[in-house]
Amino acid sequence: MERSQAVALDQQDPLREFKKRFVITDPDTCYLDGNSLGRLPHETVKAINDFLHDEWGREVVVGWGHWIDEAQNTGNLIGRSALGAAPGQVLACDTTSVNIYQLASAALKARPGRKTIITDAANFPTDRYILQGLAKAHGLKLVTIDNEDPSISSNELITPELLESYLSDDVALVSLQVIQYRSGARQDVKALTDLVHRFGALVLWDAAHAIGSIKLDLDRDGVDLAVGCTYKYGNSGPGAPAWLYVNKTIQNELQVAIQGWFAQRDQFAMGPTFEKDQSIRGFQIASPSIIGLRCINTSFSMIEEAGIEEIEKKCATGTSMMVELFEKWLQPLGFTLITPASPTQRGGHITLAHPDAERISIALRKYVNTVADYRTPNSIRLAISPLATSYTEVFDGFARIRDLVASKSYEKVAAGESRVT
Ligand SMILES: Cc1ncc(COP(=O)(O)O)c(C=O)c1O
């Protein structure tokens, strides 16, 4: 792979014009961390400015007359553009963590008498901690599949055979990620969901690393419950509202733990007792951040305009290019690839392991203007965010990693220099 091939890929890229629609203050930066926080769209700057001046500033409280249902309307946009979800099943609200707690607790309540929750050791920390808390609070057993052990699983993948060995009619809930946050492995959503349904349990999918990088088909795949954020490939900004998906077929049987006033059927009657609304609003807790929702609106409208199929294709091409450059330049320098080799088994990022991963990740930012991130114990994640990253940027970033590591100049930095990795 030569640089000219990356330039040619950019010239043929149907998404190439989107990069100009993001704020890029230093064109020399190779930003390969859009899987952690996406770039800021220019349209978001205008939309938020307009909202402040023309709506909050001018209308003040009268604005709630047309803001009140925005969590649902924005949820429908997320569902349509990125999740394969028909209207009325997605809400844009709260954080991924709060939504995990809400939906997991609702699922457990819907399977009374069953005492087991299943998750995996490589699941994102917040998912594991919340499930630990729920298991403790309700006297349940949390079973953790050890997919960090290479003799049990490769690249953290959970095959139906592996999951089946843990299933029984005591299982209430299985909670997994669509794309593993560390290894980047993509699980087979449909096969695993179908399998869990055979045992009468519910599945909660964390799609934080999948949304905006691959085509999700939550309705088609019969998914029960899913959550995710909007700030990674969704480009909606740090701390922007997350989303939750509840399949229409099970909405009536589920009640979330926090029954707030936005879920009340006749909200402004302010009645004495809670009565759940029968639409997706029945899963909303409280007042949404309208500023946050407007950030989602501009960025997910861009995803809709680009088309999630094209986005997924660019992730596949971009990550294949990374794998090729890894084999040519980085493998000889002591890196190993911990992401599956097939693009259908990953999303927008690949992960390379190296004994000095933490120092290399810090030095990349500090010395060579290349942004990736480090995940314990020894991984560097590198992403292509299809609307904001060019193929040339990926190529140049990899060349900088090669030169930095070959020269050993990363050895000048100390591990642990930053609280955030
Ligand atoms: C897979 C996954 N799940 C959950 C979270 C937690 O998200 P939040 O802090 O928005 O709750 C993250 C954050 O990066 C994540 O990557």
Side-chain angles (χ1 to χ4, degrees):
M1 173 110 209
E2 302 300 326
R3 193 172 192 280
S4 58
Q5 286 170 274
V7 172
L9 279 174
D10 279 329
Q11 283 163 351
Q12 295 149 19
D13 177 10
L15 304 180
R16 66 184 174 279
E17 295 299 322
F18 279 92
K19 189 169 173 180
K20 297 178 194 147
R21 292 165 59 178
F22 289 88
V23 173
I24 297 177
T25 50
D26 178 1
D28 179 60
T29 304
C30 293
Y31 190 72
L32 307 182
D33 208 9
N35 58 309
S36 191
L37 182 66
R39 284 191 181 277
L40 166 64
H42 288 293
E43 284 147 72
T44 300
V45 178
K46 178 169 178 349
I48 297 307
N49 226 351
D50 289 350
F51 168 75
L52 295 175
H53 284 288
D54 302 339
E55 296 187 53
W56 180 16
R58 187 165 304 167
E59 299 176 322
V60 206
V61 76
V62 177
W64 275 114
H66 62 98
W67 302 330
I68 194 83
D69 290 324
E70 280 202 27
Q72 296 153 72
N73 299 338
T74 306
N76 286 339
L77 168 64
I78 295 171
R80 185 170 76 231
S81 59
L83 300 180
Q89 302 177 104
V90 181
L91 271 182
C93 59
D94 304 299
T95 60
T96 308
S97 302
V98 169
N99 294 338
I100 291 168
Y101 176 76
Q102 288 281 81
L103 296 189
S105 60
L108 295 173
K109 210 164 165 189
R111 291 292 180 274
R114 293 180 173 231
K115 297 275 179 218
T116 305
I117 306 172
I118 295 177
T119 192
D120 64 301
N123 203 345
F124 191 77
T126 209
D127 306 53
R128 290 183 281 110
Y129 304 156
I130 290 166
L131 296 173
Q132 286 166 17
L134 280 168
K136 199 168 168 193
H138 299 285
L140 305 173
K141 189 167 79 174
L142 178 62
V143 174
T144 304
I145 302 170
D146 190 5
N147 57 339
E148 290 177 329
D149 178 344
S151 70
I152 291 179
S153 155
S154 57
N155 309 126
E156 303 173 6
L157 275 167
I158 296 168
T159 60
E161 297 70 41
L162 177 61
L163 179 59
E164 187 160 5
S165 63
Y166 290 84
L167 289 170
S168 72
D169 61 9
D170 192 51
V171 176
L173 174 69
V174 176
S175 184
L176 302 170
Q177 293 170 98
V178 177
I179 291 182
Q180 299 295 125
Y181 83 92
R182 183 175 41 215
S183 77
R186 185 196 308 196
Q187 309 295 353
D188 186 337
V189 172
K190 179 156 174 34
L192 297 174
T193 302
D194 286 349
L195 173 66
V196 173
H197 286 171
R198 274 183 26 221
F199 287 81
L202 293 163
V203 192
L204 169 57
W205 286 103
D206 179 341
H209 286 270
I211 184 160
S213 70
I214 62 167
K215 187 175 184 308
L216 289 159
D217 269 303
L218 302 187
D219 287 354
R220 186 204 65 187
D221 292 346
V223 166
D224 305 306
L225 304 163
V227 295
C229 64
T230 58
Y231 49 70
K232 298 176 187 292
Y233 300 97
N235 305 312
S236 304
W243 54 270
L244 60 80
Y245 166 92
V246 184
N247 194 301
K248 201 131 211 159
T249 58
I250 55 167
Q251 287 181 8
N252 287 349
E253 48 169 314
L254 295 184
Q255 172 59 59
V256 289
I258 305 174
Q259 44 183 48
W261 73 306
F262 265 66
Q264 177 73 356
R265 193 175 58 78
D266 192 353
Q267 187 182 358
F268 285 89
M270 311 260 171
T273 44
F274 179 74
E275 201 183 318
K276 182 177 166 250
D277 188 75
Q278 290 307 301
S279 75
I280 190 69
R281 183 161 63 77
F283 295 85
Q284 188 171 352
I285 303 174
S287 309
S289 157
I290 302 300
I291 293 178
L293 293 178
R294 296 299 171 88
C295 292
I296 298 176
N297 265 303
T298 48
S299 53
F300 278 75
S301 296
M302 287 167 76
I303 290 177
E304 187 169 37
E305 184 188 335
I308 195 68
E309 289 83 0
E310 283 303 335
I311 287 174
E312 182 172 39
K313 268 191 228 161
K314 187 164 173 181
C315 282
T317 308
T319 51
S320 296
M321 184 173 121
M322 293 184 205
V323 171
E324 214 179 307
L325 295 174
F326 150 75
E327 284 168 354
K328 184 170 155 189
W329 292 337
L330 303 182
Q331 204 163 22
L333 293 170
F335 286 92
T336 50
L337 178 68
I338 64 165
T339 309
S342 161
T344 59
Q345 286 189 322
R346 59 179 188 243
H349 80 268
I350 71 156
T351 306
L352 302 179
H354 188 284
D356 285 322
E358 186 174 5
R359 288 197 293 169
I360 293 169
S361 177
I362 296 168
L364 281 170
R365 294 183 187 191
K366 205 162 168 171
Y367 301 134
V368 294
N369 207 3
T370 297
V371 185
D373 64 22
Y374 163 73
R375 285 293 171 264
T376 180
N378 61 358
S379 303
I380 295 178
R381 301 187 301 181
L382 298 145
I384 180 158
S385 186
L387 302 185
T389 322
S390 65
Y391 292 107
T392 320
E393 192 176 351
V394 172
F395 185 94
D396 290 344
F398 270 64
R400 291 179 195 183
I401 300 171
R402 174 199 62 199
D403 296 344
L404 179 95
V405 176
S407 69
K408 295 197 182 293
S409 50
Y410 69 85
E411 290 180 352
K412 287 181 286 184
V413 301
E417 268 192 19
S418 165
R419 184 170 110 72
V420 179
T421 62

